[in-house]
Structure formats: structure tokens, C-alpha cells
Amino acid sequence: MESRMLDALDRDLVHALQLDGRAPFSKIAEVLGVSDQTIARRYRRLRTAGTLRVVGAIDGGRLGLVSWAIRLRATPDAAGAIATALARRPDTYWVHLLSGGTEITCGTRTRTLEERDDLLLQKLPRTGRVSSVTAHAILHLFVGGTIGWSGLRSLSPEQAERLRPDLPEPDDEPVDLSEADHALLGALSVDGRAGHAELAAVTGWSESTVRRRMDQLRRAGVLFYDIDTPSEVFGHHVEARLWVSVQPSKLAAVGEAMAGHPEVAFAGATTGPTNLMVAVTCRDPNHLYRYLTEQVGSLDGVRDVETAPVIRTLKRAGATLLR
């Protein structure tokens, strides 16, 4: 990945794609007041450098999936290998090494109790040198998933409105996915802007069927598009995970307040001894200190905060970063 930071046009492009990951370059160019070729060239450069990726993601709740945040503690000599093994698993979508290399956190989704127990009760506890495993179900998202990180926003409200797609129309009807659907979603998870011809080759469908099915899944709230970009390109070089204990009657208010903080890339209400998990990105340690003491500490209802710095990211947005 290039170490350079994003300039103003890069940031506008990232925000535009956060709003609609498959927006035509011509439409983005019109809103930003530049040429189609400029937008296409900028996107290719950022994509090639590993600075920007559009991800086709699923709303697990629409498919009956439960998201889990897992914390493991292990001996320093084993934590790296365990984190690497977790990053290689197809059922994890983010993996971080924390706290001086002795703690791992990862995210997974399960549909059945058997799937959950297979990972949490069978595989992980039997892994050598793991001293503890805890799992917290994510009950509600304040930031993350379909709710974009406010730290990416750079467009004016008028520009954002021109790019924002129509909201999906989900209902309570279950959505059943075929093998071809899974192939489609798998390809989009690698490249959310993959062309219809490429997706047709993966699924065995015609291009018109691919286009129609993508529209159906998006309207149903199953498929949405997210942005995968490292925080360093925004000048944020310190990441941390917070486990926050909030007075239950104040949880919604605290979560919604943190959703507006540009430092917060993810915040979700969870089960467990703490009830709010937060992913924070800051410029440097002093910025993190000020954020914890001045912003988090001033929120009414916050009882306790546990902070763990991220020392290495092995998987992000479903893509392994292992070399």
C-alpha cells in the first residue's frame, strides 16, 4: 500500500463510493465537477495501490445470521499463529491482534447453534496456548454495516443527496439464496464493482439476469456496498478497540452520540459483561487520549471503558491481509 495520504478529490471519490459503491463514474464525475476519465484514473490508482476497495457485503440479519465478536487471550508466542489461522478461515470477516500481541479479536457470522458451537466450543478452546475465549453477540449497529463511517464524509449535503441511492425495501419475508447467489455474493465481496460480464461467468447466468438479481438483493436489503480503506491514508495511525459499559437506559443515546464522532468507525451494542463495542481510529496516541477523556468520558451513562490498541490487522472487510 502506498503511504501517501488522500488528497481532496480522492476523499470525495471515497465518500461518493461509500454512498453508492456501484455508482457510474460518469455520475460521480458530474457531481464532483471533473471528467469521467479523471474519476476512472483516480479509482484505478487507489484500487491498484490497495488504498480503496469497494466491497459487496451482506446484511446477515436478513439471512438469519447472528454476528459475533470474539475475544481470545493467548501466550505471546502463539497469538500470531492463532490470529493467522483465524484470518484464513472463510467464516471470519475481520481479525486483529491487540494488546502487545497477547489478545486477538475477530468477527464471524453463524446461522445455527451448531455453527456457533463448532467454532466457540470445539475448535478455539482446543487450540494450544489459548487461555480464554469470550464471544459477544452484536445486537444493534450504530456505525458499521449499512451505516457508513462519518470520518469518510467530505461531500456537501447536496452532493451526497445526488449520489445516495434509493433505500432498500426489506420486509419480513425470508430470503433464500441459491448456489449461484452465493457465487455472485462471493465475487462481489472481493470486488464490489466487478463487471456484469465477469459476474455472469462466475454464476452461469446471463448479464441481464445478473443485473436483475443484484437489484433484487439490494432492494431486499440483503446486499449493500461498503468501502474498505486503511485509516492511515486519512492520517490516522492509531487504532483501538473499546469495550464500554453503559447504563442500559442510556445505551441508545451513547451509541448514537458516538456514531457521530469522526473517530468511530464501528459501534455496536453487544451481549456480555460490557454492552458496547467500539472501533476507534485516531491520528496519534495523544489524539486517542483526548478522545477517551474529553468525548467518551463526558457521555452521560458511560460507567467504564476498556481500551486495547490494535497492533496488527490480519483481515478486514472479509479480505485477508496476509502476505
Side-chain angles (χ1 to χ4, degrees), residues 298-321:
S298 66
L299 293 173
D300 184 27
V302 172
R303 294 171 168 171
D304 188 53
V305 180
E306 180 184 354
T307 306
V310 175
I311 63 172
R312 185 184 175 196
T313 297
L314 293 91
K315 194 172 190 178
R316 185 179 62 228
T320 177
L321 304 180

Side-chain angles (χ1 to χ4, degrees), residues 4-14 17 25 32 34-49 51-52:
R4 63 185 290 284
M5 290 176 57
L6 303 183
D7 65 19
L9 181 57
D10 290 336
R11 292 181 65 107
D12 286 349
L13 173 57
V14 170
L17 292 171
F25 288 151
L32 300 188
V34 297
S35 69
D36 301 10
Q37 294 83 359
T38 296
I39 293 299
R41 186 169 58 250
R42 289 288 182 121
Y43 175 78
R44 286 194 298 269
R45 176 175 54 77
L46 295 173
R47 182 73 171 88
T48 301
T51 302
L52 171 64

